[in-house]
Amino acid sequence: MWIIAVMAFLLVATIVGIYSNYQARVGKAVFIGEAPWISGTIDLTAEETVTFRVLPDEEGRGITIRTGTSPYDAAPQNYTFFLAQLDETAYKYSLEKSGEGIARDVLSVGTARDSSFIYIDRENDVADLEVFSQNNQITIKNLHYIQPGAATITLVNGSNVSYPSIIRLEAEEEFTATIWANSSSPPMLRVNVGTLTDVQNHTETNSTTATFTYTAPAESQAVLLDITATVQGRETHAYYTLAIGDVVYALQEANFPTTTLTLLDEATANFTVTFARTRELQPFALPCEISGSTSVNTLFDGTAVERVYTYDTASSHPLDWNQGVIPDDFAAFNNFKGYFVQLRALAEGDTTTISGECTLQDLQPVTGVPSLTYLGIYMLPVGWNLVSLPGTIPRALAEFAATENVRLFTCQQNYVCAELPITTPLTPGKPYWVFTEEQLRLRYTLE
């Protein structure tokens, strides 16, 4: 039945899709065409282009656009763009601001490209907009548009030394640090916990700095700090674990087993996993590395766990471990692998908690010059892969490999699955389905 459920899910996930004629995404085009256009001002400083997919008739059509006269224009203005048909092969356009004419021209329409340039600022000889026709469509393009870049985010102390991904705090400790973020223009900053003060934009370096303050709670727990830097709608995240007391990781979400890591020293921790008292499938993965001698038998033998499932991409079949049954399809846990657990029918006094020791790992993408630490490569073959990332902070697949032609799914208790954007950071301690049409090479370092 489990195999049938998996195959049914994969089939449904493959054929379900969403189509939209109108798109308004940062760094992409706005289209006016078959579907009704969502009215309002089109900001070409964020969208770069707007395209008439379906051309208007002789009555014409007007839209409002916002654009600037330089890449870093601090006060872009609104303009009215009007397009109308002249005859079967020609269209006229005009650009106005508050009733004052700025430009007008005629474009021929067909498969060949025809274009003209608009100089809003007539005091220089640099064009501000291009209007062009091609393949029976007409496009307005902001020539000053800059693709927003991913931001670089760093959390530093008073000596300008960067913090590690795990920051240990005492209960009720007042923690203060400086956030520095840099991109193609000064980013906007926000955090999910704590407060930001003294936020300063530095246009000369395209950076933003802010003071971050956080008061640790009285009880031991792990708090995930998510620092978000936004440039023209594009978000970049940096994650840190605030380990209060000795707790360095805690997964406490509905429909997932409760998992905590408690530090024993700087490199090792005790893990505790508590499963729900149900026979439904439960997602399972450890965010740390257990020793090679700790087999599936060692961890689950004699517990309430009846079966453990994983997936073999090469054969396109699930693999399972059965309590008390020999031989099993697999015997050891592997880094980057995800699992599903099923409990046996429980008696009233049965426990659903397992525990043990493991090694903490800080999973980092490979960037810049070669690292002097361990460099690893993990291959995801073509097809479906059941994956889990080690570490204590979320990471997106795109940080480790090119993610074109890839789909991502998460599954909760009772195998309730949903597709996620491929840019979604993967939470350690959770398994994910990854479907790839090309072999993915994940390059990483473990520290």
Side-chain angles (χ1 to χ4, degrees), residues 185-203:
S185 59
M188 295 176 56
L189 291 175
R190 71 175 189 271
V191 290
N192 64 322
V193 295
T195 58
L196 292 180
T197 57
D198 193 25
V199 180
Q200 298 183 30
N201 294 330
H202 309 280
T203 55

Side-chain angles (χ1 to χ4, degrees), residues 224-301:
L224 182 68
L225 168 60
D226 177 4
I227 304 173
T228 305
T230 305
V231 179
Q232 293 180 232
R234 178 174 180 176
E235 293 184 348
T236 304
H237 296 264
Y239 297 95
Y240 294 84
T241 298
L242 304 177
I244 295 92
D246 292 325
V247 178
V248 71
Y249 171 92
L251 177 62
Q252 298 174 327
E253 293 185 25
N255 298 309
F256 288 91
T258 299
T259 305
T260 58
L261 294 182
T262 304
L263 287 171
L264 299 175
D265 55 45
E266 293 299 325
T268 59
N270 183 80
F271 66 84
T272 302
V273 181
T274 301
F275 296 101
R277 299 181 67 85
T278 177
R279 296 212 70 219
E280 296 174 345
L281 285 177
Q282 300 186 57
F284 173 71
L286 286 174
C288 53
E289 183 178 18
I290 57 179
S291 67
S293 60
T294 305
S295 65
V296 183
N297 267 333
T298 305
L299 187 61
F300 290 127
D301 189 36

Side-chain angles (χ1 to χ4, degrees), residues 310-388:
T310 189
Y311 188 76
D312 179 57
T313 306
S315 64
S316 299
H317 284 293
L319 306 177
D320 67 345
W321 171 90
N322 289 272
Q323 183 82 251
V325 176
I326 300 175
D328 297 298
D329 291 338
F330 67 98
F333 294 105
N334 293 318
N335 258 350
F336 293 95
K337 271 287 189 181
Y339 303 87
F340 287 92
V341 165
Q342 186 176 43
L343 304 185
R344 59 173 166 79
L346 295 172
E348 184 176 344
D350 287 338
T351 179
T352 60
T353 297
I354 61 171
S355 62
E357 290 188 13
C358 61
T359 302
L360 289 174
Q361 303 171 104
D362 184 15
L363 184 72
Q364 297 280 354
V366 178
T367 58
V369 299
S371 172
L372 297 180
T373 58
Y374 172 77
L375 172 63
I377 296 176
Y378 185 78
M379 304 300 296
L380 295 186
V382 174
W384 290 97
N385 296 266
L386 190 55
V387 173
S388 177

Side-chain angles (χ1 to χ4, degrees), residues 26 72 146-154 180-189 200-209 228-237:
V26 171
Y72 301 103
I146 296 178
Q147 175 71 35
T152 300
I153 304 172
T154 308
W180 178 87
N182 172 264
S183 186
S184 53
S185 59
M188 295 176 56
L189 291 175
Q200 298 183 30
N201 294 330
H202 309 280
T203 55
E204 67 279 4
T205 58
N206 291 327
S207 61
T208 302
T209 57
T228 305
T230 305
V231 179
Q232 293 180 232
R234 178 174 180 176
E235 293 184 348
T236 304
H237 296 264

